[in-house]
Amino acid sequence: MTPAIALVLLGLVDAAFSGFRAYAGTDARIRKQRFNARAAVRGLAVGAVLLLAPVLTAVLLLMTARDQGRTYDRLTAGGFGYLLPLTVYATAVLLSLAAYFALPFRASTLATVVGLGPLTLLRPLALAAACLGAVLNGGGGSALLVGTIAGAAVLCVEPAVHRRWYRHVQ
């Protein structure tokens, strides 16, 4: 079993949220569901392209390795180590989102301020913890390299979407 599919899905969901964040607060229209969806799709598209970088890095590492089986095992172990902190982080985000949608207006606003806002700011730390998890779980330098590139790719989605489509809006 490989953690690659779960990591790619997690990265793509994060990219869609990044696209939404790049757009959020830039439009004063009341009904903007269509624009929110478009921003999420833009984030998803940019994230899909950027997430090719860690995939290509992993493939390159496997193709150039002397012992491909051992490199694959190390990348797999690193992937599981990378996935664990991100799963904890994603669970906290999902709980905050559930509170936002399930609670009355004031409580949902509080859930956003207390939960989603700080969690957004903690994304780089969650990715750093994931890189550490990849190394500690036996992934070594190759898993750290792939994890670092994946983290950088994920963190670049929101600025890229904002710069490409929403920079003119203040």
Side-chain angles (χ1 to χ4, degrees):
M1 184 173 161
T2 176
I5 293 171
L7 289 169
V8 167
L9 289 175
L10 202 54
L12 292 175
V13 169
D14 185 79
F17 280 118
S18 294
F20 169 77
R21 280 193 310 273
Y23 170 73
T26 61
D27 194 333
R29 285 179 263 206
I30 294 173
R31 296 175 192 228
K32 50 186 174 183
Q33 291 86 359
R34 189 179 76 185
F35 302 103
N36 287 338
R38 182 187 307 160
V41 169
R42 286 174 172 168
L44 184 63
V46 170
V49 171
L50 290 177
L51 286 174
L52 288 175
V55 171
L56 292 175
T57 302
V59 168
L60 187 64
L61 285 171
L62 283 171
M63 291 178 64
T64 59
R66 287 186 193 171
D67 186 357
Q68 291 181 343
R70 183 174 177 204
T71 302
Y72 181 83
D73 290 342
R74 293 188 83 171
L75 287 174
T76 301
F80 281 116
Y82 196 83
L83 187 59
L84 180 63
L86 293 183
T87 301
V88 172
Y89 177 81
T91 301
V93 170
L94 287 176
L95 288 174
S96 292
L97 280 174
Y100 174 75
F101 287 114
L103 296 174
F105 178 74
R106 288 182 183 219
S108 67
T109 302
L110 180 64
T112 300
V113 171
V114 172
L116 292 176
L119 286 171
T120 300
L121 295 174
L122 291 175
R123 288 175 70 231
L125 293 177
L127 290 167
C131 286
L132 183 63
V135 171
L136 293 177
N137 202 39
S142 56
L144 179 62
L145 175 66
V146 173
T148 302
I149 291 172
V154 165
L155 291 176
C156 286
V157 171
E158 187 175 345
V161 170
H162 182 78
R163 182 169 295 149
R164 170 66 177 92
W165 286 285
Y166 306 113
R167 74 170 183 254
H168 61 283
V169 181
Q170 295 295 325

